[in-house]
Amino acid sequence: ELGYFEERLQKEIEDSHPEFVVYSAKANVGKTSDGIAAGGQRLADEIMDQLKSYHEKFDHDHFSLSFVGNSLGGLYARYALSKLDWTLAHPLIFCTTVTPHLGVSNHTYLPIPRWAEWTVAQVI
């Protein structure tokens, strides 16, 4: 879904900012039915492998890391953030689109009135 965004971003920065790396994770392709924890852990493992590879390849002590996630990918990214080794990188940007951070209203453990969703979103 974000393939176009990845392609455009890569094209825009490849000449002007060669130190930027645009990477699209592949860990969860075709593996989205076993839950957010499993998918988030797969994503965290893939990111850690990439960070270790970049540390070996480039002569930098520290990297900044940004996430862009769409829908379920945003939930995976949020979970992965909690599992990463932040001694290898520091977080910079976390952006999600159409991600159900508060759950899906028809599938919650407790029924939440529509007016309460706005209140909970403001608190979080």
Side-chain angles (χ1 to χ4, degrees), residues 5-20:
F5 178 69
E6 175 190 6
E7 182 182 310
R8 290 295 305 155
L9 187 59
Q10 187 66 45
K11 185 175 176 143
E12 291 294 323
I13 66 169
E14 65 186 6
D15 292 331
S16 59
H17 297 285
E19 71 277 10
F20 285 18

Side-chain angles (χ1 to χ4, degrees), residues 59-102:
D59 188 27
H60 293 291
D61 291 335
H62 211 69
F63 294 87
S64 60
L65 188 61
S66 296
F67 286 87
V68 177
N70 183 59
S71 191
L72 182 58
L75 296 176
Y76 287 155
R78 190 178 74 187
Y79 186 91
L81 285 173
S82 70
K83 301 297 180 182
L84 294 176
D85 176 5
W86 291 108
T87 61
L88 298 177
H90 69 273
L92 186 61
I93 297 171
F94 179 74
C95 175
T96 64
T97 59
V98 297
T99 300
H101 291 289
L102 298 178

